[in-house]
C-alpha cells in the first residue's frame, strides 16, 4: 500500500529541492502503457517518462535482467574491465554501422558533455588551439550541465546561470545560410538534434542534414547528432538521422533516454579515429558502463531487435497521426514515428488540454504553449492508440466548450 498523495507532497516539499514545477499527481506503479497513481487511478501513459520507457513500464525481460544482474555484480570501477560493458558497446556500434567506439555515461547531458569534450580535443589536435567552438541551433536542448546548457539554444534557460562556458554559438534551426556563415576554421563541431525534442518536436526539413554534413566536411568540423530523445527506434528508424538518407553519416552520436528503459544510462558513440583523440585519463565517470545499467541496456536492445520496435513505432505513429489530424481543434500533427506534437493553433492553451487529458486518464505534455507532445511506449497496441485518441478528442471538446 503506497502513501497518500498528500503525504508524498508534504515530504517532497520539506526535503526535495524545488527545481521542478510539479504537476499534482504521484505515480507509484506502472505496467506496459499503464501508470497507476497514489490514489489507485489508472492512466494511459503517452509520454513514457519523456520518451524514456520505450518498452513500457516494468518490462518483464528488463526487470528480470536487472534483478539477475543485481544479484551477480552491480558495479566495479572503470579501473577494471567488466564483462557487460564491451558487449553493450559492441551492440551500439553495430547499430550505428560499425567502426566506432563508445563511452558510457549516466544521462543525456553527460553523453553530450563527452561529445563536446571529444570534439574539442579532436579539433585542437587537428586544427590548432583555436578550434574549439561549437555551433548549435536555437530551440535545441542538449542538457542542463553548464556546458550542455551553453550548447542549448534557449536563452531563457541560460539567463540565470551566466557566465556559461565560452565557445558556443547558436543559429536558427533549418537555416543553412546562417549555419554556413557561423561555421569557420575555429569550429570543432556542429551539434544538432535530427528532430528538436524539447524545442517543440521540430523535424529537420528534407535535405537539411545532408547539407549540414557537406558544410561540416568542407570546413573540417565534426557533425555531432544528439539522438538522446530521437534515438533507438523512437522516430520509426533506429536513429533519427536515418530519415535523411544514406549520404548522411554523423561523426558522433549521443543517446540516453530509451537506452535503459528507465535505468539511468547514456552513451556517446564516435568514429574510431575521432575517439582516438581521447587518451586514457582524459574523460571518466564513476558509474558509466557499470554492469547493472549496461545489462539493462543490453536487454533493452535485445528486446528492441526481437520486436523490431522501429517498424512498430512507424506503424503506430502513422495510425496515431491519421486518427488525430481530423479532430476538431487540431491544426496539424508534426514529428515522426512515435515522437509527435499535436499543434492546436495560435489561440489555444495546450496546458489546459494536457490537464483535461489527465483528468480523463491520459498522460501527455504541453511541449510548447500551443502543442502537446505524444511519445508513448513503442510497443503501444492499436487498442491503446484508439483509446488515447478518444480521450484526447473528449479533452479537446471539453476545453473548447464555452
Ligand atoms: C535531445 C536531448 N539532449 C539531451 C537531453 C538531456 O538529457 P538528460 O536530461 O538525461 O541529461 C535531453 C533531455 O530531454 C534531450 O531531449
Amino acid at each position: 500500500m503506497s502513501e497518500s498523495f498528500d503525504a508524498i507532497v508534504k515530504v517532497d516539499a520539506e526535503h526535495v529541492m524545488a527545481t521542478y514545477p510539479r504537476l499534482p499527481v504521484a505515480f507509484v506503479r506502472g505496467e506496459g502503457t499503464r501508470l497507476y497513481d497514489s490514489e489507485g487511478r489508472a492512466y494511459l501513459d503517452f509520454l513514457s517518462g519523456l520518451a524514456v520507457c520505450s518498452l513500457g513500464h516494468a518490462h518483464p525481460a528488463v526487470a528480470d535482467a536487472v534483478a539477475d544482474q543485481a544479484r551477480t555484480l552491480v558495479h566495479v570501477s572503470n579501473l577494471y574491465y567488466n564483462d557487460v560493458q564491451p558487449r553493450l558497446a559492441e551492440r551500439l556500434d553495430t547499430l550505428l554501422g560499425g567502426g566506432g567506439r563508445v563511452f558510457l555515461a549516466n544521462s543525456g547531458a553527460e553523453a553530450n558533455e563527452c561529445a563536446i569534450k571529444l570534439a574539442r580535443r579532436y579539433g585542437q589536435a587537428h586544427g590548432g588551439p583555436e578550434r574549439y567552438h561549437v555551433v548549435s541551433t536555437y530551440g535545441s536542448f542538449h542538457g542542463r550541465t553548464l556546458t550542455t546548457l551553453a550548447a542549448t539554444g534557449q536563452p531563457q534557460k541560460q539567463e540565470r546561470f551566466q557566465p556559461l562556458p565560452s565557445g558556443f554559438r547558436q543559429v536558427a534551426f533549418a537555416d543553412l545560410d546562417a549555419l554556413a556563415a557561423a561555421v569557420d576554421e575555429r569550429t570543432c563541431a556542429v551539434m544538432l538534434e535530427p528532430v528538436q525534442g524539447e524545442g517543440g518536436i521540430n523535424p529537420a526539413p528534407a535535405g537539411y542534414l545532408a547539407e549540414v554534413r557537406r558544410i561540416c566536411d568542407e570546413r573540417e568540423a565534426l557533425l555531432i547528432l544528439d539522438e538522446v530523445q530521437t534515438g533507438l527506434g523512437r522516430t520509426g528508424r533506429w536513429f533519427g538521422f536515418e530519415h535523411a538518407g544514406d549520404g548522411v553519416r554523423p561523426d558522433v552520436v549521443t543517446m540516453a533516454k530509451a537506452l535503459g528503459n528507465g535505468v539511468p544510462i547514456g552513451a556517446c558513440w564516435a568514429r574510431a579515429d575521432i575517439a582516438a583523440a581521447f587518451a586514457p585519463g582524459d574523460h571518466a565517470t564513476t558509474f558509466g558502463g557499470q554492469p547493472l545499467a549496461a545489462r539493462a541496456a543490453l536487454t533493452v536492445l535485445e528486446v528492441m531487435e526481437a520486436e523490431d520496435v522501429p517498424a512498430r513505432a512507424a506503424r503506430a505513429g502513422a495510425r496515431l497521426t491519421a486518427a488525430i489530424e481530423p479532430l476538431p481543434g487540431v491544426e496539424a500533427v508534426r514529428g515522426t514515428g512515435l515522437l509527435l506534437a499535436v499543434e492546436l493553433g495560435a489561440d489555444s492553451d495546450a496546458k489546459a488540454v494536457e490537464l483535461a487529458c489527465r483528468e480523463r486518464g491520459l498522460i501527455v505534455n504541453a511541449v510548447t504553449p500551443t502543442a502537446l507532445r505524444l511519445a508513448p511506449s513503442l510497443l503501444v497496441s492499436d487498442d491503446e492508440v484508439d483509446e488515447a485518441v478518444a480521450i484526447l478528442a473528449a479533452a479537446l471538446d471539453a476545453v473548447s466548450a464555452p
Side-chain angles (χ1 to χ4, degrees):
M1 185 64 196
S2 68
E3 287 185 281
S4 73
F5 177 67
D6 290 345
I8 293 168
V9 171
K10 182 170 181 296
V11 182
D12 190 285
E14 284 169 2
H15 299 288
V16 178
M17 274 196 207
T19 64
Y20 301 104
R22 299 241 201 246
L23 298 162
V25 61
F27 293 114
V28 296
R29 191 166 69 80
E31 191 180 342
T33 314
R34 303 278 161 182
L35 275 174
Y36 299 86
D37 74 10
S38 52
E39 314 306 296
R41 262 200 87 184
Y43 300 79
L44 200 47
D45 182 8
F46 265 50
L47 195 57
S48 339
L50 294 172
V52 166
C53 298
S54 282
L55 300 180
H57 298 284
H59 190 282
V62 181
D64 286 349
V66 168
D68 178 62
Q69 192 63 47
R71 280 189 226 99
T72 307
L73 185 67
V74 170
H75 180 85
V76 286
S77 154
N78 278 307
L79 291 175
Y80 312 100
Y81 294 99
N82 73 63
D83 60 339
V84 194
Q85 185 178 143
R87 292 288 171 213
L88 174 59
E90 179 185 39
R91 205 157 201 126
L92 288 172
D93 188 37
T94 303
L95 284 177
L96 281 155
R101 297 286 184 275
V102 177
F103 179 84
L104 291 161
N106 310 288
S107 67
E110 258 195 275
N112 285 336
E113 188 84 22
C114 173
I116 293 165
K117 281 178 74 175
L118 180 63
R120 283 189 168 198
R121 277 301 307 127
Y122 183 83
Q124 290 181 322
H126 292 81
E130 289 306 310
R131 189 176 289 173
Y132 65 88
H133 294 252
V134 173
V135 177
S136 57
T137 60
Y138 285 113
S140 63
F141 186 80
H142 299 298
R144 298 284 199 148
T145 63
L146 287 174
T147 302
T148 55
L149 190 57
T152 290
Q154 301 194 40
Q156 74 283 10
K157 288 191 168 67
Q158 297 176 331
E159 245 160 46
R160 286 160 62 83
F161 298 96
Q162 298 291 356
L164 290 169
S166 60
F168 293 86
R169 68 180 289 191
Q170 280 87 46
V171 296
F173 187 56
D175 184 338
L176 287 166
D177 292 339
L179 190 83
V183 178
D184 60 24
E185 68 289 346
R186 299 175 316 148
T187 309
C188 68
V190 172
M191 185 168 187
L192 290 172
E193 296 158 86
V195 180
Q196 286 188 337
E198 300 308 299
I201 319 295
N202 308 313
Y208 178 65
L209 282 184
E211 197 51 24
V212 174
R213 174 75 273 180
R214 195 193 58 73
I215 293 168
C216 286
D217 287 344
E218 194 181 275
R219 320 270 162 97
E220 294 181 46
L222 299 181
L223 176 56
I224 302 174
L225 290 185
D226 178 346
E227 297 253 12
V228 164
Q229 187 154 171
T230 50
L232 305 173
R234 173 69 43 202
T235 66
R237 302 269 174 94
W238 278 103
F239 293 96
F241 73 81
E242 292 172 26
H243 293 276
D246 287 346
V248 182
R249 306 297 307 167
D251 301 307
V252 180
V253 177
T254 58
M255 296 150 268
K257 287 177 178 283
L259 186 53
N261 206 48
V263 175
I265 184 164
C268 174
W269 172 95
R271 242 176 42 213
D273 61 308
I274 297 164
F278 272 161
D282 275 348
H283 194 54
T285 178
T286 298
F287 298 116
Q290 54 143 259
L292 185 77
R295 176 79 182 278
L298 202 47
T299 309
V300 166
L301 296 179
E302 278 164 14
V303 175
M304 285 185 164
E305 284 178 40
E307 300 273 358
D308 194 4
V309 290
R312 287 183 65 149
R315 264 198 312 276
R319 184 183 183 91
L320 195 54
T321 303
I324 291 175
E325 266 171 350
L327 294 181
V330 171
E331 203 173 271
V333 179
R334 60 175 180 268
T336 31
L338 284 173
L339 185 58
L340 299 172
V342 181
E343 183 58 56
L344 304 174
D347 298 325
S348 66
D349 181 353
K351 204 77 202 167
V353 180
E354 174 192 320
L355 176 65
C357 285
R358 196 166 70 247
E359 280 168 353
R360 288 162 178 76
L362 174 67
I363 301 297
V364 294
N365 96 307
V367 69
T368 73
T370 63
L372 294 172
R373 167 172 34 189
L374 271 52
S377 158
L378 307 183
L379 301 181
V380 68
S381 70
D382 286 353
D383 285 351
E384 288 164 338
V385 166
D386 298 347
E387 190 185 337
V389 173
I391 297 175
L392 176 60
L396 285 166
D397 194 40
V399 169
S400 72

